[in-house]
Amino acid sequence: MAKEDKRIDILRAASRVFYLRGFEGTKIDDIAKEAGIGKGTVYEYYHSKQELFDKAVSYNREQYIEQVKATLSQDGTLRDKFIAFAKYQTELVKTHIPIFNMMCTSKIIAREMGALMLEQNIRVAEILTGLVKKAVDQGELREDINPEMAAAVMIGTINQYSSKKVIFFDAQPEDIDYEQMADIIFKGIG
Amino acid sequence: MAKEDKRIDILRAASRVFYLRGFEGTKIDDIAKEAGIGKGTVYEYYHSKQELFDKAVSYNREQYIEQVKATLSQDGTLRDKFIAFAKYQTELVKTHIPIFNMMCTSKIIAREMGALMLEQNIRVAEILTGLVKKAVDQGELREDINPEMAAAVMIGTINQYSSKKVIFFDAQPEDIDYEQMADIIFKGIG
Amino acid sequence: MAKEDKRIDILRAASRVFYLRGFEGTKIDDIAKEAGIGKGTVYEYYHSKQELFDKAVSYNREQYIEQVKATLSQDGTLRDKFIAFAKYQTELVKTHIPIFNMMCTSKIIAREMGALMLEQNIRVAEILTGLVKKAVDQGELREDINPEMAAAVMIGTINQYSSKKVIFFDAQPEDIDYEQMADIIFKGIG
Amino acid sequence: MAKEDKRIDILRAASRVFYLRGFEGTKIDDIAKEAGIGKGTVYEYYHSKQELFDKAVSYNREQYIEQVKATLSQDGTLRDKFIAFAKYQTELVKTHIPIFNMMCTSKIIAREMGALMLEQNIRVAEILTGLVKKAVDQGELREDINPEMAAAVMIGTINQYSSKKVIFFDAQPEDIDYEQMADIIFKGIG
DNA sequence: TATGAATGAGACTTCATTCAT
DNA sequence: TATGAATGAAGTCTCATTCAT
């Protein structure tokens, strides 16, 4: 228990620091201090910096995917689900899970992390693609659309507009007009 | 002349290596070898690794923005421009300019690079937003749309669908169905 | 009682591990595991790794010297004693007491261990030298020999031939022809 | 040239320090200081401490074997050769080549070094054994001796008596009575 | 008394930067 | 101007020792 709790404590501390400074920019000592423990103690729980990083990525990814699934499995139309997902994704970026940035800050991204990032993005896209197909079947969307592309429009728009507003302009998640975002995606800009 | 040429040579060599290995993962010696010169020579042209990195980022950003401007200033409807931009962006990712990845591989991303990335993305978004406004004025788009958001839909969709297909699934830029992408954005998915 | 037994247990466990891995290559945890106890417990009996090492060396040395004395105090001619000693020394190397190797595996050999090694070797040499003198008196050996050198011939030959055969060629102690060895030493090679 | 000279300089400096303190007890910084260079420079010439150690052992071993061969190939009887070899071996221990001690001071002795030590000792023993055989053929030695064992008597006696006198009692190599040593070996102690 | 989690000093190694040639 | 050998600061990881339980 206490042992496992501490493992998680260290993982979360590591996540915070990796998030802020990236893999290379993070010193084990930083993580130890963030967790309020000694440097050597980190190594009692994780064998290497790399392992700690990988575990932190996995941990946050799991958390993320679970939340996405929960968000998208709520009742309602695809429009409702989209708005819920957009809100969640925006909150996420603002507040807590550092997964996106963590993936962008390691020198090894070009090798191992590419697959991880892909997998996660693919899984979310797949879930959304499935929902799009169902919505087509139920007549909520027009029949001639490419579901995969439709899912890309949704995810892409959120990442481009919503997340960036929050990250770069310090906007609050509640300031985003999700209804308008849904309108423009569902009705088109033309 | 020759001096200035060599500066650019080094800059381009640095861009290639930074792109592949990130800031921390790149050794000055790697850059020197890539440029076919000695390690000390790099320091005759740039005072530090950090300066070289910054200059490489700026250089690639300039090139990128210039190309985007050229692409979007061609004659035609917004739809035409969108397709041209999507093609360019996709080619870009596939072939050469390492700007996106460079931004993801430095330990300083959270601090200085955030602003750079923002600025570039903002500039492209601004250009597109301007074109959207013009298209609204010319009746090509409906009047009630938020131009900024419309631009985000376009950029976001390209990044999510097109770039990912190319990056992660090794698709060729010419395999992407840009017409379909334009349709879904202009007509909406609803 | 039990306390003193445990001290010896730890000492023997330490001897085995030091023997295999040397001073620096041995972790306190290895010794604890070999002794079937916890790491902290080792420190209840010995104040430091260095003390434990020193005590282990002393312990094995005592045991060794006692055995050598017993072997050499048996009845018989010097030739008999030599053969008995050669057998014992060969068995020793093969089976159990790690004293020689322990002495070769510490970083402190050049300083403190030199004296220890010397002392032990000297004591054996002295005992043998004494026996040689007695044998001279009893007419078993010729009168003009240097007893110290004669002892060196005996010890040196055993170490060079017998021990090496066993250590490096995995010969069995009983495969050695001790009679032939005695012959060559007593009669000379000339 | 200068580069190769420096490689050797470092190797010799490393040999001296390894000799005094053993593998584990030697810090790269010690070697650098002994060589009068910076710590990083050592790594310009050798990739790791282990490589440097291995190279130092090999280097000293080569030097040693060459010298032994030269010593034993001089004209004269076996007795003459023995005396020359004993002198050389004694000088060696006193003055310069740290091979024996180096081999005794690493934690890896039990694994890799065993073979090296064996090989060297075997080679010397083989050379001597060959000379013994030749001496038997020429009637210098009696016919019924075991040449391998005779060689062991010679090497063992030198190591036990001569080297120890020098190492532990600080005797000078010229103080040793090599004639007496030859007598006792050739005529026997009996 | 016995334990093992926690600790931090210290070692190896890397690499940006300097500078003599 | 061009070079690459030299350097040492700094980071990762190990492990002897301590101490609360």
Side-chain angles (χ1 to χ4, degrees):
Chain A
M1 295 312 106
K3 190 101 195 248
E4 197 50 36
D5 284 352
K6 196 160 219 172
R7 272 185 74 83
I8 299 293
D9 274 358
I10 294 173
L11 207 57
R12 286 208 253 252
S15 295
R16 290 192 294 275
V17 185
F18 279 134
Y19 168 68
L20 284 172
R21 303 213 241 291
F23 181 79
E24 312 283 350
T26 295
K27 284 170 276 182
I28 293 293
D29 213 26
D30 296 337
I31 294 172
K33 283 198 179 85
E34 175 75 20
I37 58 176
K39 187 172 35 159
T41 308
V42 174
Y43 285 91
E44 292 286 321
Y45 292 84
Y46 299 93
H47 296 97
S48 69
K49 184 184 181 183
Q50 188 65 59
E51 184 197 341
L52 184 49
F53 182 76
D54 293 343
K55 291 270 168 63
V57 170
S58 296
Y59 175 76
N60 287 291
R61 189 175 40 133
E62 298 298 327
Q63 304 269 95
Y64 169 66
I65 294 286
E66 283 316 303
Q67 285 294 327
V68 169
K69 276 186 186 164
T71 301
L72 290 178
S73 64
Q74 290 163 2
D75 285 340
T77 62
L78 181 63
R79 197 179 198 280
D80 296 334
K81 288 172 200 284
F82 167 77
I83 288 175
F85 174 55
K87 278 182 182 167
Y88 170 67
Q89 185 86 353
T90 310
E91 293 282 352
L92 193 72
V93 169
K94 185 72 185 183
T95 54
H96 184 63
I97 300 196
I99 187 75
F100 304 108
N101 285 275
M102 282 178 67
M103 287 180 162
C104 287
T105 48
S106 164
K107 74 171 173 184
I108 56 161
I109 187 169
R111 280 168 278 172
E112 307 137 59
M113 294 302 284
L116 278 178
M117 193 164 157
L118 171 65
E119 188 204 331
Q120 171 177 294
N121 213 302
I122 296 302
R123 280 171 71 185
V124 171
E126 276 173 359
I127 296 170
L128 259 182
T129 303
L131 293 177
V132 169
K133 281 179 187 159
K134 202 184 295 174
V136 169
D137 291 343
Q138 295 175 343
E140 191 184 344
L141 302 187
R142 43 189 182 92
E143 288 196 340
D144 61 333
I145 63 164
N146 174 343
E148 192 186 358
M149 205 176 262
V153 174
M154 291 190 279
I155 298 171
T157 300
I158 294 166
N159 285 339
Q160 178 67 23
Y161 185 78
S162 182
S163 301
K164 296 264 161 111
K165 277 262 177 184
V166 166
I167 292 173
F168 297 120
F169 292 112
D170 262 327
Q172 294 308 309
E174 54 269 25
D175 299 337
I176 308 288
D177 187 340
Y178 300 104
E179 296 291 340
Q180 192 181 34
M181 199 187 290
D183 277 348
I184 212 167
I185 288 172
F186 280 75
K187 294 184 193 163
I189 64 175
Chain B
M1 299 304 111
K3 179 118 195 205
E4 196 51 35
D5 284 353
K6 200 162 206 173
R7 273 186 72 83
I8 299 294
D9 274 358
I10 295 173
L11 207 57
R12 285 207 253 251
S15 295
R16 290 192 292 276
V17 185
F18 279 135
Y19 167 67
L20 285 172
R21 303 212 244 289
F23 181 79
E24 309 283 349
T26 295
K27 286 174 271 186
I28 293 293
D29 209 29
D30 295 337
I31 294 172
K33 282 199 180 82
E34 176 75 19
I37 58 176
K39 187 166 38 160
T41 308
V42 174
Y43 282 88
E44 294 292 324
Y45 292 84
Y46 298 93
H47 296 97
S48 70
K49 185 184 180 183
Q50 189 64 59
E51 185 200 340
L52 183 50
F53 181 76
D54 293 343
K55 291 272 168 62
V57 170
S58 298
Y59 175 76
N60 286 290
R61 189 176 36 137
E62 296 300 327
Q63 302 271 96
Y64 170 67
I65 294 287
E66 284 316 304
Q67 285 292 328
V68 169
K69 275 187 186 164
T71 302
L72 291 177
S73 64
Q74 289 162 2
D75 285 340
T77 63
L78 181 64
R79 197 178 198 281
D80 296 335
K81 289 171 199 285
F82 167 77
I83 288 175
F85 174 56
K87 279 181 181 166
Y88 171 66
Q89 185 84 355
T90 311
E91 292 283 354
L92 193 71
V93 168
K94 185 74 186 180
T95 54
H96 183 65
I97 300 196
I99 188 75
F100 303 108
N101 284 276
M102 283 179 66
M103 288 180 163
C104 286
T105 49
S106 163
K107 71 172 175 182
I108 56 163
I109 185 169
R111 281 168 277 170
E112 305 137 62
M113 293 302 285
L116 281 177
M117 194 163 156
L118 172 64
E119 188 206 331
Q120 171 177 293
N121 213 302
I122 296 304
R123 280 171 72 184
V124 172
E126 277 172 359
I127 296 169
L128 257 182
T129 303
L131 292 177
V132 168
K133 280 180 186 157
K134 203 184 294 176
V136 169
D137 292 344
Q138 295 174 344
E140 191 183 344
L141 303 187
R142 41 188 184 93
E143 288 197 341
D144 61 333
I145 63 164
N146 175 341
E148 193 187 358
M149 205 176 263
V153 174
M154 291 190 279
I155 298 172
T157 300
I158 294 166
N159 285 338
Q160 177 67 24
Y161 185 78
S162 181
S163 301
K164 297 264 160 112
K165 277 264 176 183
V166 166
I167 293 173
F168 296 120
F169 292 111
D170 261 326
Q172 295 307 310
E174 55 269 24
D175 298 336
I176 309 288
D177 187 340
Y178 300 105
E179 296 291 340
Q180 191 182 36
M181 197 188 290
D183 278 348
I184 213 167
I185 288 173
F186 279 76
K187 294 184 192 160
I189 64 176
Chain C
M1 303 300 110
K3 179 121 195 203
E4 197 49 35
D5 284 352
K6 200 163 208 173
R7 273 186 72 83
I8 299 294
D9 274 357
I10 295 172
L11 208 57
R12 283 208 255 250
S15 295
R16 290 192 293 275
V17 185
F18 279 135
Y19 168 66
L20 285 172
R21 301 213 246 289
F23 182 79
E24 309 282 349
T26 295
K27 286 174 271 186
I28 293 294
D29 209 30
D30 295 337
I31 294 172
K33 281 198 179 84
E34 176 75 19
I37 58 174
K39 187 166 39 160
T41 308
V42 173
Y43 282 87
E44 295 292 323
Y45 291 84
Y46 298 92
H47 296 97
S48 69
K49 185 184 180 183
Q50 189 65 57
E51 185 199 342
L52 183 50
F53 181 77
D54 293 343
K55 292 271 168 63
V57 170
S58 297
Y59 174 77
N60 286 290
R61 189 176 37 137
E62 297 299 327
Q63 303 272 96
Y64 170 66
I65 294 288
E66 284 316 304
Q67 285 292 329
V68 169
K69 276 185 186 166
T71 301
L72 291 177
S73 64
Q74 289 163 2
D75 284 340
T77 63
L78 182 63
R79 198 179 197 282
D80 297 334
K81 290 173 200 280
F82 167 78
I83 289 175
F85 173 55
K87 280 182 181 165
Y88 171 67
Q89 185 85 354
T90 311
E91 293 282 353
L92 194 70
V93 169
K94 185 75 185 181
T95 54
H96 184 67
I97 299 196
I99 188 74
F100 303 108
N101 285 275
M102 283 179 66
M103 289 180 162
C104 287
T105 49
S106 163
K107 71 172 174 181
I108 55 164
I109 186 169
R111 281 169 276 171
E112 305 136 63
M113 293 302 285
L116 280 177
M117 195 164 156
L118 172 64
E119 187 205 332
Q120 170 177 294
N121 214 301
I122 296 304
R123 281 171 71 184
V124 172
E126 277 173 359
I127 296 169
L128 258 182
T129 303
L131 293 176
V132 168
K133 280 179 185 160
K134 202 183 296 176
V136 169
D137 292 343
Q138 295 176 344
E140 191 183 345
L141 302 188
R142 36 186 190 97
E143 288 196 341
D144 61 334
I145 63 164
N146 175 343
E148 192 186 358
M149 206 176 264
V153 174
M154 291 190 278
I155 298 172
T157 300
I158 294 167
N159 285 339
Q160 178 67 23
Y161 185 77
S162 181
S163 302
K164 296 264 161 111
K165 279 263 176 184
V166 166
I167 293 174
F168 296 121
F169 293 111
D170 261 326
Q172 295 307 310
E174 55 269 26
D175 298 336
I176 309 287
D177 187 340
Y178 301 104
E179 295 291 342
Q180 191 181 36
M181 198 188 290
D183 277 349
I184 214 168
I185 286 172
F186 279 76
K187 295 185 193 162
I189 63 176
Chain D
M1 296 311 106
K3 190 102 197 246
E4 196 49 36
D5 284 352
K6 196 160 221 173
R7 272 186 73 83
I8 299 293
D9 274 358
I10 295 173
L11 207 58
R12 285 207 253 251
S15 295
R16 289 192 293 275
V17 186
F18 279 135
Y19 167 66
L20 285 172
R21 302 213 242 291
F23 181 80
E24 313 283 348
T26 296
K27 284 171 274 182
I28 293 294
D29 213 26
D30 296 337
I31 295 173
K33 282 197 179 88
E34 176 74 18
I37 58 177
K39 189 170 33 161
T41 307
V42 174
Y43 285 90
E44 292 287 321
Y45 292 84
Y46 299 93
H47 296 97
S48 69
K49 185 184 179 182
Q50 188 65 57
E51 184 197 341
L52 183 50
F53 181 76
D54 293 343
K55 291 272 168 62
V57 170
S58 297
Y59 174 76
N60 286 291
R61 189 175 39 133
E62 297 299 327
Q63 304 270 94
Y64 170 67
I65 293 287
E66 284 316 302
Q67 284 294 327
V68 169
K69 276 186 186 164
T71 301
L72 290 178
S73 64
Q74 290 162 3
D75 284 340
T77 64
L78 182 64
R79 197 179 197 281
D80 296 333
K81 289 173 201 281
F82 166 78
I83 289 176
F85 174 55
K87 278 182 182 166
Y88 170 66
Q89 185 86 354
T90 311
E91 292 281 354
L92 193 72
V93 168
K94 185 72 185 183
T95 53
H96 183 66
I97 300 197
I99 188 74
F100 303 108
N101 285 275
M102 283 179 66
M103 288 180 162
C104 287
T105 48
S106 164
K107 73 172 175 184
I108 56 162
I109 186 170
R111 279 167 276 172
E112 306 137 61
M113 294 303 284
L116 279 177
M117 195 163 155
L118 171 65
E119 187 205 331
Q120 171 177 296
N121 213 302
I122 297 302
R123 281 171 71 184
V124 172
E126 276 173 359
I127 296 169
L128 259 182
T129 302
L131 294 176
V132 168
K133 281 178 186 159
K134 201 182 296 176
V136 169
D137 291 344
Q138 297 174 344
E140 191 182 346
L141 302 188
R142 41 188 184 93
E143 289 196 340
D144 61 334
I145 63 164
N146 175 343
E148 192 187 359
M149 206 176 264
V153 174
M154 291 190 278
I155 298 172
T157 300
I158 294 167
N159 285 340
Q160 178 67 23
Y161 184 77
S162 182
S163 302
K164 296 263 161 113
K165 278 263 177 184
V166 166
I167 292 174
F168 298 119
F169 292 111
D170 262 326
Q172 294 308 310
E174 55 270 24
D175 298 337
I176 308 289
D177 187 340
Y178 301 103
E179 296 290 341
Q180 192 181 36
M181 198 187 289
D183 278 349
I184 213 168
I185 287 172
F186 279 75
K187 295 184 192 163
I189 64 176

